[in-house]
DNA sequence: CATGCTGGGTTCGCTTGCCGAACCGCGCGC
DNA sequence: GCGCGCGGTTCGGCAAGCGAACCCAGCATG
């Protein structure tokens, strides 16, 4: 007897869910905040540490993970009369996490902050405010989850 | 003397950053996965527990947090000849986290999965695939972080 | 009535992770 | 050579996550 959730859409293989997978990469504490700093242009260990206030050991670990996962790259540089150091910069893979960060920020701006948002994003070309939108490939803008249907990949019969 | 990072855009007050704030609400382990299930229509404790495989105690705690934060509501119900139970359902505040989940999922679909995504989202009206996009209020679609400028709230030309 | 079953938790040890502070090592300027 | 500062690593303590065991209400069964 299989007592699964009675919800039709909910019968898919959680173990390979993309949300879980992404969280396995960037879901640990500090990871997404490191990326926020990266998007703000912070690249050096000391600057990250000061901006975040995270323990050095944790920061070291998070950076190593993000580099290993290909979200950041660790590249040598040397400043005027100093020894060689490394800096951490976003890869294309990392840059593609931008919408996720913006979505998190937008929610916080709306529900956690009163008054103007602490950080405003504007389109470099036209100066207008930037926001995240759900759209479908036919060009419709989507208001919320109710307008969306989820379909599992093995949409025939896949017992878990 | 304030020694902040030399990076121009990076000088804003991290302590009230909306990304950090949002993560304080949904950034703990399992929280976003609970919400994923919620968006799939899973509402009952036992169903959540089975779907996620999280320890009961943690799940209890996450649900309580999400209810306290107003992301979920805890509502009594009673099924045919059973005693009264509670179910957890998304509030509007919770529903507004949908783009965040979709963004996380999209990234995982792209970089973590080969082949078709485990879960496909389609527009209920037209059947076309759903994706998350960055747009500006003038209607331009934005390709990535390079096209965006961040401005701190306290900075010079900030209209209230 | 006593008994058992089931859903929704709570409690209990154990392990893992996070934390701040201390320590270390390399390369540079002196 | 000496000291210094960046970029870590190490260390002890605390908090969170973990699976398993336990608990309690209420319905069903005998």
């Amino acid at each position: 007897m299989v007592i699964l959730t009675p919800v039709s859409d909910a019968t898919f293989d959680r173990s390979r869910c993309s949300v879980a997978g992404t969280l396995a990469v960037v879901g640990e504490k500090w990871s997404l905040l490191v990326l926020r700093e990266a998007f703000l242009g912070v690249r050096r260990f000391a600057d990250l540490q000061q901006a975040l206030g995270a323990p050095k050991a944790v920061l070291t670990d998070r950076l190593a993970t993000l580099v290993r996962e290909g979200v950041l790259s660790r590249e040598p540089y040397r400043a005027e009369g100093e020894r060689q150091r490394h800096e951490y910069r976003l890869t294309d893979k990392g840059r593609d996490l931008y919408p996720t960060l913006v979505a998190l920020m937008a929610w916080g701006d709306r529900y956690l902050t009163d008054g103007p948002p602490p950080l405003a994003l504007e389109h470099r070309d036209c100066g207008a405010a930037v926001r995240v939108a759900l759209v479908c490939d036919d060009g419709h803008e989507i208001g919320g989850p109710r307008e969306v249907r989820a379909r599992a990949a093995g949409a025939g019969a896949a017992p878990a």
Side-chain angles (χ1 to χ4, degrees), chain A residues 92-103:
Chain A
D92 286 345
K93 189 172 174 181
R95 262 185 287 276
D96 279 346
L97 283 164
Y98 194 58
T100 302
L101 265 292
V102 175

Side-chain angles (χ1 to χ4, degrees), chain A residues 25-89:
Chain A
V25 175
V26 297
E28 281 172 304
K29 212 167 178 178
W30 299 108
S31 295
L32 283 166
L33 296 177
V34 167
L35 292 175
R36 176 195 69 187
E37 296 303 320
F39 282 114
L40 289 173
V42 180
R43 296 193 176 131
R44 283 137 75 147
F45 190 95
D47 294 339
L48 285 167
Q49 204 221 327
Q50 183 187 338
L52 297 173
K56 285 173 161 189
V58 177
L59 185 53
T60 302
D61 185 79
R62 287 311 103 92
L63 288 169
T65 300
L66 293 172
V67 168
R68 180 160 29 80
E69 295 288 346
V71 170
L72 297 180
S73 67
R74 185 172 192 261
E75 299 187 359
Y77 76 101
R78 70 180 310 140
E80 195 65 20
E82 300 200 348
R83 80 175 193 264
Q84 172 177 298
R85 310 261 155 94
H86 293 90
E87 60 183 13
Y88 302 87
R89 44 175 78 199

